[in-house]
């Protein structure tokens, strides 16, 4: 099973977005056909072949060994060079070994994995560390995955940064949403939530670091799993879509929650603390049960802000669309 990390452990590497498309039988295609299918299925995608790009017209077969760098691209929606890979011994998963939340976007995954006979890995590296460059690479990878997901023999797509599976329909939905300059967060970022021994619920995001160099965690609290996932999703939306610059100690929630003191509080666990590989934002429910919190963060008084000051994080409407427009104007 491939490593689910969205970034190479070496910090000098740029984020890489990969999708494994699983098939019920082998698929044959010429590499040049993929570019044509991409632009036909997604005509609004501004990509064109780089002048002089060498695209081999040899037949690719997902039952055979494939290592194709199929597209060097120019254009507003271009990212790094697209690679198609099929290596012997990969592309197989044990359903019973999967995290429960790795299956939620593909309800009949067990039956689909049982029919898996072939696969193709699509990878697209970002061209920079900026949010737009990362979004562009993830969108291009999504669109290419969707091209293959539309085939009748497509079974499922494993979105590697999030370590979860998507149905072909969810994959197409992911690409369509991204092509509207929107964030398909539930497809691009995975979640792991479950119960502790005392019945509390805790959670963690998987793959947010590919976009924001951090993850978000939900401290154990007496809530249900959907509540924890909703809170983490809200944080990610505020971070990526709204561009909120969080501060250690901020609160998130409704205005009513902020006034009543029931808002969730954010605490920052810095990279390296207790072995953390990236910064982690910890969401603290007002009734959290994170007894070992002192191991991760310094004490911080939960004093209310001064009169007239609100430290409850508020959305910034149109933030991401504005930086996308700015990039387009520079081009």
């Amino acid at each position: 099973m491939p490593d689910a990390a969205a970034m190479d452990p070496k910090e000098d590497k740029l984020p890489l977005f990969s999708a494994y498309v699983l098939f019920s039988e082998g698929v044959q295609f010429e590499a040049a056909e993929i570019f044509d299918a991409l632009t036909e299925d997604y005509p609004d995608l501004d990509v064109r072949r780089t002048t002089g790009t060498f695209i081999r017209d040899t037949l690719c077969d997902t039952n055979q060994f494939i290592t194709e760098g199929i597209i060097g691209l120019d254009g507003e929606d271009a990212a790094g060079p697209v690679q198609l890979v099929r290596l012997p011994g990969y592309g197989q998963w044990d359903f019973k070994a999967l995290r429960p939340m790795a299956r939620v976007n593909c309800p009949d995954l067990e039956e689909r994995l049982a029919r898996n006979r072939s696969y193709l890995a699509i990878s697209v590296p970002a061209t920079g560390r900026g949010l737009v460059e990362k979004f562009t690479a993830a969108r291009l990878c999504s669109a290419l995955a969707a091209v293959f997901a539309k085939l009748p023999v497509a079974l499922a797509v494993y979105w590697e940064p999030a370590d979860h599976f998507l149905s072909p329909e969810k994959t197409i939905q992911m690409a369509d949403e991204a092509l509207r300059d929107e964030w398909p967060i539930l497809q691009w970022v995975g979640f792991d939530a479950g119960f502790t021994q005392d019945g509390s619920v805790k959670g963690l995001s998987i793959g947010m670091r590919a976009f924001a160099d951090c993850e978000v965690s939900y401290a154990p609290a007496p809530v249900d799993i959907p509540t924890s996932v909703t809170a983490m999703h809200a944080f990610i939306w505020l971070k990526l879509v709204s561009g909120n610059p969080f501060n250690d100690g901020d609160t998130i929630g409704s205005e009513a929650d902020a006034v009543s003191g029931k808002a969730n509080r954010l605490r920052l666990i810095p990279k390296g603390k207790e072995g953390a590989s990236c910064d982690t934002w910890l969401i603290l429910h007002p009734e959290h049960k994170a007894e070992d919190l002192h191991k991760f963060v310094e004490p911080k008084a939960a004093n209310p802000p001064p009169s007239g000051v609100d430290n409850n994080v508020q959305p910034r409407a149109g933030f991401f669309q504005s930086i996308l427009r700015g990039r387009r104007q520079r081009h």
Side-chain angles (χ1 to χ4, degrees), residues 135-180:
F135 177 89
T136 300
R139 175 169 57 186
L140 181 57
C141 187
S142 298
L144 284 162
V147 167
F148 286 99
K150 293 176 182 179
L151 296 176
V153 294
L155 295 169
V157 171
Y158 174 72
W159 186 259
E160 186 173 22
D163 186 28
H164 67 191
F165 286 86
L166 308 172
S167 67
E169 294 77 16
K170 286 285 187 180
T171 304
I172 296 166
Q173 176 187 332
M174 170 176 68
D176 290 343
E177 191 170 345
L179 264 293
R180 296 195 299 267

Side-chain angles (χ1 to χ4, degrees), residues 120-134:
L120 182 69
I122 304 163
S123 63
V124 182
T127 57
R129 299 190 182 280
L131 190 59
V132 171
E133 288 83 2
K134 296 172 183 177

Side-chain angles (χ1 to χ4, degrees), residues 47-122:
V47 290
R48 55 188 176 275
R49 296 178 189 176
T50 302
T51 303
T53 297
F54 180 65
I55 299 180
R56 284 186 266 180
D57 290 329
T58 54
L59 184 68
C60 296
D61 187 337
T62 63
N63 282 329
Q64 305 298 324
F65 181 86
I66 300 174
T67 53
E68 292 289 311
I70 77 158
I71 309 175
L73 296 175
D74 283 330
E76 179 183 294
D77 298 317
V82 175
Q83 188 82 7
L84 299 184
V85 177
R86 195 277 179 189
L87 302 176
Y90 289 84
Q92 295 290 328
W93 285 263
D94 179 357
F95 177 81
K96 294 181 180 179
L98 298 177
R99 297 177 299 105
M101 295 195 72
R103 318 166 187 169
V104 296
N105 284 309
C106 192
D108 54 349
L109 182 61
E110 184 173 18
E111 182 270 335
R112 290 175 180 269
L113 288 181
R115 294 193 288 127
N116 178 24
R117 297 292 181 271
S118 185
Y119 86 97
L120 182 69
I122 304 163

Side-chain angles (χ1 to χ4, degrees), residues 188-201:
W188 281 358
V189 180
F191 296 97
D192 196 10
F195 294 96
T196 63
Q197 289 185 342
D198 68 357
S200 299
V201 167

